[in-house]
Amino acid sequence: HDSRGPPPNNNNKPLQVTRITQNPTNGQLIMKKEEIRAQVFRPGWNQPTMTLEELADREVAAALEREAHQTRAEATRKEQPRR
């Protein structure tokens, strides 16, 4: 055991941190306790909110809708007299 630091934590409890910030509007101190364990393996980027299959389904539905709209527009254009 090294006497220069705190003893090792062997009880497997999450590390508790108290974050103290100051409210910018009134200067009051805000104390917030956080458990670090839940944030240790969280990636630093945003995770996808849907699967590739869900995205493909949306894209196919949108493409079919555009195709139907295009077909209706072309049919309407053929019915109009030429100038």
Side-chain angles (χ1 to χ4, degrees), residues 8-10 23 54 56 58 67 75 83:
N9 187 357
N10 293 330
N23 187 328
E54 290 170 326
R58 284 185 176 194
E67 181 182 33
R83 294 186 191 188

Side-chain angles (χ1 to χ4, degrees), residues 22-50:
Q22 189 172 17
N23 187 328
T25 56
N26 60 11
Q28 185 176 7
L29 292 179
I30 302 168
M31 295 176 65
K32 180 178 169 186
K33 289 194 176 195
E34 299 176 350
E35 284 192 0
I36 301 298
R37 180 192 300 184
Q39 299 173 358
V40 170
F41 295 108
R42 180 178 293 166
W45 60 88
N46 291 336
Q47 293 293 298
T49 57
M50 68 176 77

